[in-house]
Amino acid sequence: MKRRGLLSAIALLALAAPAAQAAETVRIANVIELSGNGATVGNMWKNAVEMAVEEINDAGGILGRTIELTHFDTQSNPGVSRAAVQKALDLDPYVLLGPIYSSSTKVNMQLAQQAGVPQIVGSEASVITEMGNPFVFRTSLSQAASMPKLANYIRDGIGAGSVAVLWVNNDFGRGGRDAFVAEMEARGIEVVADISSEVGQSDFAADVVKIKQAAPDAAFVYLHEEESARFLREARKQGLDIPLIGETTLLNQKVIELAGEAADGVKGHVGLSADAPLPSIRAFRDKFVARYDTVPDHNAIKGYLAVYAVKEITERIGGFDRQAFADALHCATITLEDEPGILIDTSWDRKGDVDRISFLAEVVKGEQRIVGTLPPLGVGCD
Amino acid sequence: MSNVLQLLLAGLATGAIYALVAAGFALLWQTSRAINFAQGEFVMLPAFFVLAGTEWLGLPFWVAALLGLLLALLLLGLLFKRVIIDPLLPQGVLPVVIATIAVGILLKESVKEFYSAEAQPFPALTPGGNIDVLGAVLSLQDVAVLAVAGLAILAMQLFLGRTRLGRMMQATAQNPEVAEILGIPTRRMVLYTFLLNAALVTLASILISPVYLAKFDNGETLGLVAFIAAIVGGFNQVRGAIAGGFLVGVVDNFGAAYVSSDYRTGILLLLLIAVILLRPEGLWGRAEERTV
Amino acid sequence: MNGLLEVSGLTRRFGGILAVDSVSFAVAPGEILGIIGPNGSGKSTLFNCILGQLRPTAGRVRFAGREVTGLRPSLLSRLGIGRTFQLLQIFPKLKVRENLLAAGQEHRGSMLSRLFGAPDAGLAGAVEEMLAFFRLAHLAETPAGSLSYGQQKLLDIAMAFMAGPRLVFLDEPAGGVNPAMLAELEARLRALNRERGATFVLIEHNMEFVMGLCDRVLVMAEGRVIAEGTPREVRADARVIEAYLGG
Amino acid sequence: MTGRRLAAVAAGLLVAALLLLLPLTLRPYGLYLMSLWAVLTIAAMGLNLTLGYAGQVSLAQGAFVGIGAYAAALLTTAGWPLGAGLLLGVGLGLLVGWLLGYPALRVQHHYLAFVTLGANTLVFLVLRNEDWLTGGVYGIAAIPRPTVLGYPTDHPLAFYYFCLGVLLLVGLGLGLLLRSPWGRAFEALRENPVRAESLGIDTRRYTLLAFAIGSAVGSLAGAIYAPLVQYIDPSPFALGLSLALLLMVVVGGAGRFFGPGLGAAIAVLLPEWLRFSEGLYLILYAVLVILVLVFLPSGLVGLADRLSARARGEGR
Amino acid sequence: MAETLLRIEDLAAGYGRVTILRGATLAVAAGAVTTVIGPNGAGKSTLMRAIFGLLPPRAGRIFLAGEEITGLGPRELLRRGVVYVPQGRNLFPELTVRHNLELGAAAFRIPDLDARVEAMLDRFPLLAERAGMQASVLSGGEQKLLELARALLLDPALLLIDEPSLGLSPRTTAEIFGILGGLRDRGVAILMIEQNARSALGMSDFGVVLDQGRVALEAPAADILADPRIGRLFLGGGIG
């Protein structure tokens, strides 16, 4: 029983760590996937965020205040992410960054909303900006925004009259699949096979057989990186010779590395890419490689521009008022002229969704090539 | 038709791996009444031994594979028996179940922490390329998996049935008390089955990782499916477990293709529950004598 | 004979072997019946068939005029048939008092009343009585597992009596009990029989114990009853000696 | 004897004071952890009844937490009070737990572990796939917190006291249950089922009851978990939670009344203590489980008993 | 009395809290058959298991040809020429008859093991006919025969055999006893436990009566057979 008392005493020490905040700093809390399945994407984001913060601090901070950055690990687990956001909010931050996993964001965004803290996330699931939360903002196109672009490409670029959809059965995959199927219906393209697969699924023989049986003109593949690689290998093996179309993940460098030559020929739509033919992105890429010795992915770009968006908007409102920040970021447009750190001209709408140009890409000989640039949807605020 | 054949062949290739893992599982049960809930993680781990050998130490693949086998024999065979099973088995089956669950978590999290949380590409055993079997496609890797796993199962059966040592191990499994009376060093025989299991999971690991990539959480599904295979086939007979492995591989593929991909895992689980309730000794198992 | 228990034509087959072959007998109230026989003569199988552990292949068991063939042990217990086991069976981690309470609780009140603890008050008297009768009172709050073997044996029998059974089957009550304790055990059983009219059926290998305690003895060999009578009669029966000494 | 009782009362008062007063000093994150501890303790107490007291292994407790959470989430988001969700969750837990008990009448030990493990995954698949009812992978958001006796519990501190209150009620109820003849019958079932049956204890019925009640308590925990996190989807209720709950029971001490509370405290707080070695905590936790199994079969509560017994022995 | 091969002094053994053998003293003569009889629970099988090192003795000592073997395990005893055939069925049902036979010596480095197996099969043609079949198909008597043959593979000096007649027909029992008699004639000492007291003592040289864990009588077999107290032993009243 004595032991229990001791436990609680330790608990007290662990839980009640107050944070004194110096007057000349502004705190940004980064709640992100540092371990678990999402460690790769989370660390890309984290590294880029750190790089941006350092640059800004070196240049005098935001409105003269130094950014104090604290990281919290979600362990890629929604429950933990909620605890992490709670812990981050206990520090009374100006803005929250992250997380990337949609399932985590959905669990914790309510907390930030209740605390009135703006939260800039890396998630793509459509539902996040559809719950009427005035404090949540994206850094990348939502599924609702990217699927129309992809659908147009399938209709106009590929000329497909029928498609198969293979998706991973979690909120990411399901969200993408739902948005995609709606766009197909709108364009009169028939979805002839609608196949779910498990997270961590290893054997895709049955899935490929089902696609072959349906004989579509193209297949849309919306899986996580490893499962994408496993699928591509099986598809290559069974000689599935229709265009395989994907979103950002399918064309990711990791997939190319894991799938090898089976990834060649995969086409799709990419929201952000370190290979984008823009001088600002190229410069960012070089800086990142110099500092971390790896090529940044789209998650790095998202984290980097999130920090610069905080700087730009704060300077526009001229103070550190969270409500004013959230109001100002809605319907804001930040161009490279306003702030070069934004890397690519970006607009936010009333719901917190972003709009910007995006790219068509293809995997050629183990490399992602940008083959076209798509204009913004231009929905914005009016 | 070629689709059916395709599913069958793919199911058999995966099933061959399950059979290896399930056979080791059944061996452990037979000789020591030890249930290994970490068997899936046992399959996941050796691939990382090999990767550590090639990536960190710069060893050639085959040397690294040998090193992986040695480490597996040591850690997953000897140490596992001495540290986990020997002290806990006298307390009953349940503590062993719980302890091996903990071992599974330990292995999984250790790989994640000390190697990587990401899936890793793993060197293939064969050159890329496919062969055509009556309209169905088999990759050379699949052929290699089937051939190597088949040979390993055959070799194991020959070893158990045709060598004196193998028969002593069988005797220990079938009736340890009598084996003891005949002077068979039963404790050493039990240790050998742990080593054999370690060798089987290493082989499975090296066969499966080129296709499925090496990842810390691969064991979750693999272990579950191997359990199902062992129980459905027959827990107390290596032959039953092997047959169960192939059956489960095939059922999984056909179930996903023709029944439901949403409930893909559910189909296997229902099969498992049905077998446990209706024929607990397994489809090809031997009914264990029960004393009242 | 007006039987409390009537067994007729009870048969149990294992594969091709008749372990129990058409056994019939009756037990009168207040009687102590011993069942003896060489190893493998079918005594334990007979017990198991009567007591619901094994389903008989053929035959019937009637208890107090009611057919009880193949009923589950818990039902038999609630009808008034108690038993002990060959290797003693207690609840080692429960206290002695809790063992006795557990043994009596299902015989009083309804399932729901048990949830609210109703039977325990009613059982308190019976528990104290058993503790006193078997001289275990000083151990009432001790976990049963830490009692001596002999004390556990007494507890085992006390548990069988907690429900106030009309008939108790004892499977090798003297097995493993040291000679000093054996006398105590015999005295307790005899007292239960004389003072409370308890009826016993027992399997036992210790012949002195059987001959001293039983009113009547049934001899089994190869699944059949080969002799029946008072201990004196049975002891003098040439067939019985043959059965034990073999051909 | 009186000295021991005095020590127990003092320790109890200390714990009660900590549980009541410590939270006043905590920020929302600490309160969240304490609330989570209360919820997990309830779920583990249910499993402790099934596993620790009645000796029936279940690897499906996480699924029952899920059933309770969904029942509460669906009803409260549809405008019903949480009480209705609690009732529905507990009712479903009783029913499904009772059904899950049937395999235990046929098979035991590892077979039972596999059956319940399979059942857990089946429940997960239903929660995920039947999205007409459960919202599927999208989950259920904006789960309101209850108003208890006129007091809203939106504030973390209020909700913590609500959780603590439920924990106390559940603890009281289970404590009474375990001291009743039912509890004795459960223990008899664990200790020696054959003997229990021969004494008139209907082992079939008590086995089913042990599953039903233990599972229903798990569902009750789930029904509080839903308003605690305010958003649920199927993923937390997969096998991992069941395994975690099992380990909590074992580490704390299976069949010990205070075992689950201690086990849950370690599971919740260990990652906090181990912040210096981020990510290592699961590894250390697994090692701790193995050490407890090998060296302390009665869990940490058993260790505390042993230590206090030794201290008294030396004092004399 | 012939030369003593095995001597047991004041041996006690049991299981758990129960002591079954409570200080037994007896001797087994070389080249002779000694049969132990006694009521159930007298400690006969416990005696044999304690001799063969399967149960740790709680007291007492055991000597083989003058050398102390107390507490040695089966492997050491087998090396010293002691073999044990327990009661009941002790084969490996899924192995063939030949392989079951071979396991009688497989655990020891014996260069001519194959030849010994062949020789043993020659000696028991009934087994040779079934050499390739699974042991589970043998009849009860054939199984006992195979167990006996397996025990002989190591050329034992002392055979411990527990209830060979259990579950066998009288004719088969007689055959097994015949084989045991033949072994004795070849110089193998046999310590046997039997329920079939009369026929066992009939073929034995010496008899030992065990009662309540102690030796009640040790005498030439014929004397015991003729003793009228034997019937009482089994039916109560003891012997002393």
Side-chain angles (χ1 to χ4, degrees):
Chain A
M1 284 325 243
K2 198 175 157 197
R3 198 183 160 83
R4 293 201 100 189
L6 192 69
L7 289 185
S8 307
I10 297 173
L12 185 74
L13 289 178
L15 303 182
Q21 197 168 322
E24 300 83 38
T25 63
V26 55
R27 184 180 296 277
I28 294 182
N30 182 32
V31 179
I32 202 72
E33 290 77 9
L34 296 178
S35 62
N37 295 331
T40 327
V41 295
N43 279 300
M44 280 284 180
W45 169 287
K46 170 186 174 241
N47 287 341
V49 165
E50 267 179 355
M51 193 164 99
V53 166
E54 218 166 280
E55 287 169 11
I56 293 169
N57 283 345
D58 286 351
I62 304 176
L63 296 176
R65 287 209 208 170
T66 310
I67 302 173
E68 199 174 320
L69 178 68
T70 319
H71 300 290
F72 297 87
D73 183 10
T74 71
Q75 298 171 20
S76 313
N77 172 329
V80 178
S81 88
R82 189 183 195 281
V85 164
Q86 185 67 263
K87 199 151 75 168
L89 290 174
D90 285 358
L91 296 180
D92 201 21
Y94 174 50
V95 174
L96 266 182
L97 303 182
I100 294 174
Y101 271 30
S102 303
S103 47
S104 292
T105 304
K106 280 192 291 181
V107 179
N108 63 46
M109 57 191 270
Q110 226 169 353
L111 283 177
Q113 179 184 4
Q114 281 162 7
V117 177
Q119 182 179 15
I120 307 180
V121 304
S123 311
E124 293 174 8
S126 308
V127 65
I128 287 167
T129 47
E130 280 158 11
M131 295 190 213
N133 181 335
F135 288 94
V136 76
F137 301 91
R138 287 185 206 277
T139 49
S140 58
L141 296 178
S142 80
Q143 288 165 336
S146 52
M147 289 307 165
K149 295 188 175 192
L150 190 76
N152 287 339
Y153 171 63
I154 286 176
R155 182 188 59 197
D156 308 329
I158 308 284
S162 64
V163 289
V165 194
L166 174 63
W167 45 286
V168 58
N169 203 344
N170 61 14
D171 60 333
F172 163 79
R174 181 63 192 266
R177 175 253 172 219
D178 288 354
F180 178 80
V181 168
E183 297 298 333
M184 288 295 106
E185 274 165 13
R187 286 163 183 75
I189 300 174
E190 196 190 351
V191 176
V192 289
D194 185 4
I195 306 160
S196 69
S197 73
E198 298 293 330
V199 178
Q201 180 172 320
S202 44
D203 187 348
F204 282 88
D207 310 69
V208 174
V209 162
K210 272 168 124 174
I211 295 176
K212 280 167 81 176
Q213 276 176 337
D217 295 336
F220 173 57
V221 181
Y222 203 62
L223 307 172
H224 292 301
E225 281 86 348
E226 305 142 40
E227 289 85 350
S228 294
R230 291 173 184 146
F231 165 78
L232 289 175
R233 287 174 174 216
E234 182 68 28
R236 168 63 58 104
K237 183 182 102 185
Q238 289 195 31
L240 184 66
D241 55 1
I242 52 173
L244 299 177
I245 316 294
E247 240 292 315
T248 314
T249 39
L250 188 69
L251 296 141
N252 189 317
Q253 198 58 40
K254 183 78 189 169
V255 176
I256 298 171
E257 179 197 335
L258 293 175
E261 59 181 17
D264 281 355
V266 167
K267 301 179 170 85
H269 171 253
V270 179
L272 285 169
S273 168
D275 297 310
L278 299 173
S280 54
I281 298 239
R282 236 171 252 151
F284 165 76
R285 179 186 165 132
D286 293 344
K287 263 194 299 189
F288 194 92
V289 170
R291 184 172 168 140
Y292 297 109
D293 200 26
T294 47
V295 179
D297 73 353
H298 59 283
N299 293 302
I301 302 175
K302 288 181 334 196
Y304 187 83
L305 70 83
V307 181
Y308 274 100
V310 173
K311 172 174 182 274
E312 170 65 16
I313 297 298
T314 307
E315 285 169 359
R316 283 188 195 176
I317 59 177
F320 294 92
D321 181 334
R322 298 190 186 98
Q323 185 65 52
F325 178 94
D327 293 344
L329 189 50
H330 283 128
C331 299
T333 295
I334 303 177
T335 63
L336 281 168
E337 274 169 38
D338 302 328
E339 171 53 65
I342 203 75
L343 297 182
I344 183 164
D345 296 354
T346 304
S347 310
W348 278 266
D349 71 3
R350 201 157 272 137
K351 295 190 297 181
D353 276 329
V354 296
D355 192 13
R356 60 163 84 93
I357 59 165
S358 57
F359 310 95
L360 287 175
E362 201 174 325
V363 178
V364 181
K365 290 186 185 141
E367 278 192 14
Q368 189 196 96
R369 296 250 175 98
I370 300 295
V371 296
T373 303
L374 301 176
L377 289 172
V379 277
C381 297
D382 33 68
Chain B
M1 187 57 216
S2 74
N3 285 332
V4 172
L5 190 63
Q6 182 72 53
L7 289 171
L8 184 69
L9 289 175
L12 289 176
T14 321
I17 307 270
Y18 298 152
L20 285 179
V21 184
F25 200 61
L27 270 175
L28 290 192
W29 169 252
Q30 276 185 28
T31 53
S32 66
R33 307 276 119 166
I35 302 281
N36 183 15
F37 267 71
Q39 186 81 344
E41 279 71 29
F42 274 34
V43 180
M44 173 276 296
L45 190 61
F48 284 93
F49 289 155
V50 178
L51 284 176
T54 54
E55 303 284 313
W56 293 355
L57 305 177
L59 299 173
F61 176 74
W62 289 111
V63 180
L66 211 61
L67 180 78
L69 177 64
L70 280 176
L71 280 173
L73 291 175
L74 203 66
L75 290 176
L76 306 182
L78 186 68
L79 204 67
F80 175 60
K81 176 175 186 292
R82 290 279 153 81
V83 175
I84 309 290
I85 300 299
D86 285 350
L88 288 178
L89 207 56
Q91 295 178 31
V93 175
L94 198 55
V96 173
V97 167
I98 297 166
T100 53
I101 287 174
V103 169
I105 294 174
L106 178 66
L107 297 181
K108 191 165 70 178
E109 298 300 323
S110 297
V111 166
K112 188 166 104 180
E113 192 66 20
F114 300 120
Y115 198 96
S116 171
E118 287 180 50
Q120 307 289 319
F122 193 86
L125 301 173
T126 60
N130 299 319
I131 58 167
D132 203 62
V133 185
L134 303 171
V137 185
L138 267 180
S139 69
L140 289 178
Q141 178 71 29
D142 288 343
V143 177
V145 166
L146 270 170
V148 175
L151 280 176
I153 288 166
L154 193 68
M156 185 177 74
Q157 292 290 56
L158 287 178
F159 165 69
L160 289 175
R162 298 285 170 86
T163 67
R164 232 160 245 164
L165 180 60
R167 289 195 291 268
M168 290 202 285
M169 286 168 68
Q170 278 202 66
T172 306
Q174 286 176 28
N175 195 336
E177 176 124 334
V178 176
E180 186 85 37
I181 281 164
L182 298 177
I184 295 172
T186 50
R187 292 164 60 103
R188 206 183 326 146
M189 296 301 125
V190 172
L191 175 62
Y192 289 164
T193 56
F194 277 78
L195 296 180
L196 188 55
N197 180 52
L200 286 172
V201 294
T202 307
L203 186 64
S205 192
I206 291 175
L207 287 177
I208 202 166
S209 298
V211 192
Y212 296 158
L213 314 168
K215 194 175 178 209
F216 74 96
D217 63 358
N218 274 0
E220 288 170 16
T221 320
L222 206 60
L224 181 65
V225 178
F227 292 152
I228 297 175
I231 288 182
V232 166
F235 215 47
N236 52 25
Q237 270 210 320
V238 174
R239 258 174 296 158
I242 291 169
F246 285 107
L247 178 75
V248 163
V250 171
V251 167
D252 182 37
N253 267 310
F254 279 97
Y258 297 115
V259 183
S260 161
S261 52
D262 280 354
Y263 281 103
R264 184 173 189 161
T265 330
I267 296 166
L268 291 182
L269 290 171
L270 287 175
L271 179 67
L272 168 83
I273 292 173
V275 167
I276 287 182
L277 294 184
L278 302 177
R279 203 180 148 79
E281 71 272 21
L283 297 179
W284 294 279
R286 162 171 48 89
E288 280 184 52
E289 285 152 33
R290 286 194 187 167
T291 46
V292 182
Chain C
M1 182 160 37
N2 179 16
L4 179 61
L5 180 82
E6 288 168 15
V7 174
S8 52
L10 204 68
T11 301
R12 171 70 201 206
R13 193 185 286 277
F14 290 112
I17 299 162
L18 272 172
V20 173
D21 186 0
S22 193
V23 168
S24 302
F25 66 94
V27 183
E31 188 183 22
I32 302 183
L33 173 70
I35 299 180
I36 64 170
N39 250 357
S41 56
K43 305 182 298 290
S44 288
T45 309
L46 176 68
F47 256 41
N48 285 330
C49 285
I50 296 173
L51 291 167
Q53 306 282 356
L54 273 179
R55 191 162 282 280
T57 312
R60 295 170 67 185
V61 182
R62 291 175 70 80
F63 175 70
R66 183 183 160 173
E67 168 108 28
V68 296
T69 322
L71 290 188
R72 295 179 48 216
S74 56
L75 259 168
L76 293 175
S77 166
R78 271 174 270 161
L79 289 174
I81 301 180
R83 75 168 296 185
T84 67
F85 290 80
Q86 189 175 351
L87 299 168
L88 63 87
Q89 306 275 348
I90 54 168
F91 306 120
K93 284 192 188 161
L94 301 189
K95 292 170 183 169
V96 168
R97 183 188 302 282
E98 291 172 330
N99 268 273
L100 292 171
L101 285 170
Q105 67 179 39
E106 301 296 315
H107 300 267
R108 283 158 185 265
S110 67
M111 196 74 191
L112 202 63
S113 76
R114 285 197 277 283
L115 174 60
F116 297 105
D120 288 6
L123 279 170
V127 168
E128 293 311 323
E129 203 185 326
M130 275 300 150
L131 286 171
F133 186 82
F134 285 97
R135 300 180 184 149
L136 294 168
H138 59 299
L139 298 166
E141 307 304 327
T142 311
S146 49
L147 266 53
S148 77
Y149 188 83
Q151 290 164 334
Q152 290 187 359
K153 204 87 191 183
L154 291 178
L155 174 61
D156 194 18
I157 294 167
M159 285 163 74
F161 271 92
M162 270 307 293
R166 301 170 67 186
L167 171 63
V168 177
F169 285 77
L170 304 170
D171 195 347
E172 299 210 23
V177 179
N178 67 45
M181 198 65 177
L182 207 57
E184 166 78 7
L185 183 68
E186 194 179 330
R188 293 296 98 198
L189 291 176
R190 201 186 298 281
L192 282 168
N193 176 249
R194 297 246 171 96
E195 295 164 18
R196 303 166 176 234
T199 309
F200 292 114
V201 178
L202 56 100
I203 297 179
E204 184 50 67
H205 286 302
N206 186 324
M207 288 302 156
E208 270 179 282
F209 188 80
V210 172
M211 297 299 170
L213 189 65
C214 295
D215 302 318
R216 196 158 58 95
V217 176
L218 216 64
V219 187
M220 285 186 73
E222 290 169 5
R224 279 189 290 266
V225 175
I226 57 161
E228 190 184 338
T230 63
R232 185 188 293 270
E233 287 164 4
V234 166
R235 194 180 283 188
D237 193 322
R239 287 171 306 173
V240 176
I241 297 174
E242 279 311 299
Y244 270 96
L245 296 185
Chain D
M1 208 59 192
T2 46
R4 188 183 181 187
R5 172 154 291 177
L6 206 67
V9 169
L13 284 175
L14 186 69
V15 172
L18 275 172
L19 290 178
L20 282 170
L21 303 177
L22 175 68
L24 296 172
T25 70
L26 294 178
R27 288 157 172 273
Y29 175 62
L31 292 169
Y32 172 78
L33 282 190
M34 295 282 287
S35 308
L36 188 63
W37 166 79
V39 169
L40 289 177
T41 299
I42 295 171
M45 283 174 100
L47 181 60
N48 195 29
L49 176 82
T50 315
L51 174 82
Y53 285 93
Q56 309 293 314
V57 59
S58 167
L59 292 181
Q61 189 72 352
F64 288 102
V65 177
I67 287 172
Y70 269 90
L74 287 170
L75 285 192
T76 53
T77 51
W80 294 67
L82 181 63
L86 276 171
L87 276 180
L88 179 66
V90 169
L92 280 173
L94 276 174
L95 181 72
V96 181
W98 181 274
L99 292 176
L100 186 67
Y102 276 95
L105 303 180
R106 273 191 68 91
V107 295
Q108 281 282 303
H109 305 307
H110 55 287
Y111 281 120
L112 189 54
F114 284 122
V115 171
T116 51
L117 181 154
N120 193 113
T121 304
L122 287 173
V123 169
F124 167 79
L125 288 175
V126 169
L127 292 180
R128 187 194 66 182
N129 293 341
E130 303 307 316
D131 44 10
W132 55 272
L133 177 68
T134 65
V137 294
Y138 294 138
I140 300 169
I143 300 165
R145 287 194 169 168
T147 299
V148 184
L149 307 174
Y151 294 98
T153 59
D154 290 313
H155 190 275
L157 188 64
F159 193 77
Y160 164 73
Y161 284 124
F162 168 66
C163 292
L164 189 66
V166 176
L167 172 62
L168 287 178
L169 286 177
V170 170
L172 195 67
L174 280 178
L176 288 174
L177 173 73
L178 289 169
R179 294 171 71 111
S180 80
W182 282 28
R184 210 181 294 125
F186 290 148
E187 288 193 87
L189 184 63
R190 174 194 71 201
E191 295 278 293
N192 195 333
V194 175
R195 184 55 169 152
E197 175 77 22
S198 83
L199 292 169
I201 296 174
D202 187 339
T203 51
R204 296 170 58 98
R205 189 187 282 177
Y206 279 110
T207 302
L208 297 176
L209 275 173
F211 269 97
I213 299 173
S215 306
V217 173
S219 293
L220 177 69
I224 313 171
Y225 177 79
L228 170 66
V229 294
Q230 301 186 284
Y231 168 88
I232 57 166
D233 71 335
S235 58
F237 310 114
L239 197 54
L241 179 59
S242 292
L243 299 186
L245 288 169
L246 179 72
L247 298 189
M248 282 176 219
V249 170
V250 171
V251 167
R256 300 302 190 114
F257 190 76
F258 292 105
L262 187 54
I266 290 174
V268 172
L269 295 178
L270 196 66
E272 297 305 314
W273 305 337
L274 295 178
R275 269 193 298 189
F276 56 88
S277 59
E278 203 168 80
L280 277 180
Y281 85 97
L282 265 176
I283 298 174
L284 290 173
Y285 192 58
V287 171
L288 179 69
V289 169
I290 294 166
L291 289 177
V292 164
L293 281 167
V294 174
F295 296 109
L296 300 168
S298 52
L300 291 179
V301 169
L303 174 72
D305 281 3
R306 236 193 285 172
L307 288 180
S308 70
R310 186 179 297 171
R312 277 199 313 281
E314 282 165 5
R316 253 172 240 154
Chain E
M1 196 164 172
E3 186 196 340
T4 296
L5 180 62
L6 183 73
R7 194 152 50 83
I8 292 153
E9 291 178 359
D10 220 14
L11 192 66
Y15 303 87
R17 290 159 169 261
V18 184
T19 301
I20 293 173
L21 208 55
R22 304 166 192 269
T25 301
L26 65 136
V28 177
V33 178
T34 304
T35 290
V36 182
I37 62 169
N40 271 339
K44 303 187 297 291
S45 296
T46 308
L47 169 71
M48 221 166 240
R49 291 174 59 81
I51 295 173
F52 203 63
L54 295 165
L55 261 186
R58 294 179 176 175
R61 306 167 79 183
I62 310 168
F63 298 90
L64 180 70
E67 194 185 339
E68 174 150 11
I69 56 165
T70 320
L72 294 188
R75 262 183 90 76
E76 284 73 21
L77 287 165
L78 287 163
R79 283 212 186 89
R80 287 170 164 80
V82 184
V83 297
Y84 171 45
V85 179
Q87 62 172 295
R89 303 194 165 176
N90 305 290
L91 295 174
F92 305 107
E94 284 160 37
L95 296 180
T96 62
V97 169
R98 180 191 300 277
H99 289 151
N100 265 284
L101 181 57
E102 177 205 72
L103 281 168
F108 300 91
R109 274 174 224 279
I110 294 175
D112 63 338
L113 180 55
D114 289 332
R116 282 198 197 190
V117 170
E118 290 313 316
M120 199 57 74
L121 286 173
D122 286 346
R123 196 162 146 195
F124 297 105
L126 200 65
L127 298 180
E129 281 171 30
R130 292 158 174 72
M133 296 181 189
Q134 279 203 344
S136 54
V137 305
L138 297 187
S139 72
E142 289 164 347
Q143 292 198 18
K144 212 57 193 178
L145 188 66
L146 174 52
E147 280 183 51
L148 205 50
R150 185 174 69 184
L152 298 179
L153 208 60
L154 280 175
D155 268 336
L158 172 62
L159 168 66
L160 309 174
I161 185 162
D162 191 349
E163 300 245 16
S165 75
L166 192 69
L168 300 186
S169 71
R171 224 189 61 190
T172 320
T173 304
E175 280 171 26
I176 299 283
F177 281 179
I179 294 168
L180 293 177
L183 287 176
R184 183 240 331 258
D185 297 343
R186 290 163 157 226
V188 180
I190 297 172
L191 180 64
M192 171 162 71
I193 293 172
E194 256 302 334
Q195 288 268 335
N196 259 326
R198 209 159 273 168
S199 49
L201 287 171
M203 57 125 344
S204 300
D205 302 293
F206 300 101
V208 175
V209 178
L210 211 57
D211 189 25
Q212 296 186 37
R214 293 194 178 85
V215 172
L217 188 64
E218 196 178 4
D223 295 359
I224 295 183
L225 259 181
D227 195 321
R229 297 174 301 175
I230 294 300
R232 276 181 56 202
L233 166 73
F234 286 99
L235 298 177
I239 232 168

